[in-house]
Structures are given as structure tokens and as C-alpha cells.
Amino acid sequence: MSDEEIKKSDPTIEQGAASDEQIQEVHSVLLREKREPSEGYTPMPLFLLGFVSSMIFIVSIYFIHYRGGLTEGIGEAAMIYDERFDPKLHGGAANVVKEVDPMVAGKKVYTQVCATCHQVTGSGVPGVYPPLAGSDWVSGSEERLINILVHGLAGPVEVAGTTYNGNMPAFGKGSAYNWGDDRISYVLTYIRAEFGGGAAPVTVERVTELREGSSRTTQFSAEELLALP
Ligand code: HEC
């Protein structure tokens, strides 16, 4: 190969010496092999467009079938968030509410709230939180028990032969907890059955009756409770 031929085949050699013609020749190769960059956008591939549209379609059908009453009537739509609502029962109507089992609901409340102090087994914590198991306050007077929950209890109290002096918060309507009468009746029904030797259940109506019949806003003392029937 002559010098001239080598230069022609490899343009990196002696670039300074390349003629216009040679540069043109090199560029023509590049132009042929690489596409010119261009502005603008490329449309979405058709199959992707089809796929996304059919997914949206399928999901809409799925939602209509499994919406669980969410879109049936404005006021009732919120029932879907109610723990007692069972969509399997609804059969088109969104306002069918399951019967609540007070023992199940009460146990849930007890383990989530009361057990932090009174312990899951109802044993309490010696010297700090009185036991519920074996306590006359639990198995005895319904009126005293409801009042302990609705209004709270403070000061010295004798439980199963030992005196405690602590502070039990109020849970009733208007308190910081602001529980409904139904929740109070469930948890009391549960502790009476579980720790009170099977004492009679507490009804929602009885809790409402006692709460509405009193304008009390402070915690009870044990002495005041003992004056009640
Ligand atoms: C923050 C801790 C705490 C929580 C939570 C709590 N208690 Fe109490 N409870 C106490 C204390 C302390 C006393 C004793 C008050 C006193 O010494 O005057 C008490 C007393 C009682 C009594 C009367 C005494 C006895 O032991 O029989 C009952 C009944 C009772 N609680 C039930 C409950 C129930 C039901 C719950 C859940 C809804 C609950 N408590 C949640 C702290 C708590």
C-alpha cells in the first residue's frame, strides 16, 4: 500500500493533511450509517395503547362487581368503613348491619385498651393497678361498675382485700375517650363473663340510662360508689 492509500483508508492518520474530498467521503459513510437526530415525539406503540385501554376497561368491570356497596346511596356509602358491615349479606342494600357479639367486641376493646393496665389475664399489677379477676366491683353492682367506666375512679379503693390508690380515666361520652354507650356495654359484658364469675351482661340501654341520668363531670371516689345501689 502506498502512503496515499493508507491515508485514504484510515482518516485518523494525518488528519491535518486530509483534503476536503477525503473529509466528504468519511462523512458520507457516517451519514449513511447513523440516523439524523430529529426533534418531536414518537407516538406510543399501538399494542401498548391497546393494553392500557383494556386494563382500564377490565378494572372498571371488576370494581363494579366488587365495590361492596361503596356507590349505593350517598349516606350509606360510609357503611363500608363500619366494622359491623358485612358486604356478603348486603344483596344490593348497603345498610345491612351484622349483629354484634358483645363478647367478641368486648374482648377486642379489653385487650387493646384495658389490658395495658389491668393485664390480659385481669390480674392487674400489684400495688399499681388493681385486679379485675376476683374483684367485687366487677361481679357486683352493675350501677357502680358502669359509673367507674363512664366517669372514672380516683383515690383509695379496696379490691380483693388490698387497698389501691390510683387513677382510672373516664371513658364515657364527653370524656377524653368519648366512647359510645355500646362500646362500654360490650367491654363490661366481657369482663363480667371473663373475670366476674359469669355475672349478668350489661346492656347498652342501661349504660345510656345511667349516663343520661347524671350530670357528673368528675371521677368517682370509692366512697361515693359504695353509696350507690
Ligand atoms: C391507665 C390505666 C388504666 C386503664 C387503661 C384502665 N384502668 Fe381500670 N383502673 C385503673 C386504676 C389505677 C384503678 C384503681 C383506681 C383507684 O385506685 O381509685 C382502676 C380500677 C378499675 C376498676 C375497679 C377496681 C377493680 O379492680 O375492680 C374496674 C372495674 C376497672 N378499672 C375496669 C377497667 C376497664 C374495663 C378498663 C378498659 C375499658 C380499664 N379499667 C382501663 C387503671 C386503668
Side-chain angles (χ1 to χ4, degrees):
M1 245 195 256
S2 72
D3 271 7
E4 200 56 29
E5 276 171 331
I6 291 173
K7 251 191 260 171
K8 237 183 166 180
S9 67
D10 186 351
T12 59
I13 296 172
E14 284 195 64
Q15 270 176 355
S19 68
D20 285 352
E21 211 174 78
Q22 286 166 332
I23 289 170
Q24 281 292 323
E25 201 177 316
V26 169
H27 281 182
S28 76
V29 173
L30 290 176
L31 278 176
R32 185 160 25 87
E33 289 174 1
K34 298 217 162 126
R35 207 190 281 210
E36 283 272 321
S38 64
E39 277 190 51
Y41 70 99
T42 35
M44 188 194 262
L46 260 189
F47 87 89
L48 200 59
L49 194 67
F51 178 72
V52 171
S53 320
S54 48
M55 282 318 277
I56 292 173
F57 183 69
I58 291 167
V59 166
S60 317
I61 302 269
Y62 183 90
F63 178 73
I64 288 166
H65 276 270
Y66 297 99
R67 67 192 184 282
L70 188 61
T71 54
E72 270 156 64
I74 303 301
E76 289 146 17
M79 291 306 290
I80 193 82
Y81 300 111
D82 191 305
E83 62 186 4
R84 295 162 299 177
F85 175 68
D86 183 356
K88 267 180 258 133
L89 289 177
H90 82 126
N95 55 351
V96 179
V97 174
K98 265 193 301 183
E99 270 296 303
V100 178
D101 183 344
M103 285 296 285
V104 174
K107 182 175 185 168
K108 199 165 145 193
V109 173
Y110 183 80
T111 39
Q112 281 174 359
V113 181
C114 320
T116 47
C117 295
H118 295 288
Q119 309 301 299
V120 176
T121 57
S123 63
V125 175
V128 191
Y129 301 122
L132 299 186
S135 160
D136 291 341
W137 298 103
V138 175
S139 57
S141 158
E142 187 186 59
E143 186 164 341
R144 293 175 194 163
L145 183 59
I146 292 173
N147 275 308
I148 292 175
L149 262 282
V150 172
H151 299 290
L153 176 64
V157 59
E158 197 184 315
V159 184
T162 308
T163 301
Y164 295 81
N165 194 349
N167 198 318
M168 155 102 174
F171 288 91
K173 274 211 178 105
S175 71
Y177 283 89
N178 199 25
W179 283 3
D181 300 334
D182 52 353
R183 193 180 299 183
I184 293 195
S185 78
Y186 302 154
V187 75
L188 292 186
T189 296
Y190 172 75
I191 63 170
R192 269 159 88 87
E194 194 72 14
F195 310 124
V202 174
T203 63
V204 185
E205 291 74 26
R206 187 79 175 112
V207 177
T208 308
E209 185 186 37
L210 282 182
R211 181 182 54 76
E212 287 181 345
S214 151
S215 55
R216 195 181 177 98
T217 53
T218 53
Q219 284 161 301
F220 266 93
S221 68
E223 216 173 300
E224 287 171 308
L225 285 171
L226 288 170
L228 299 172

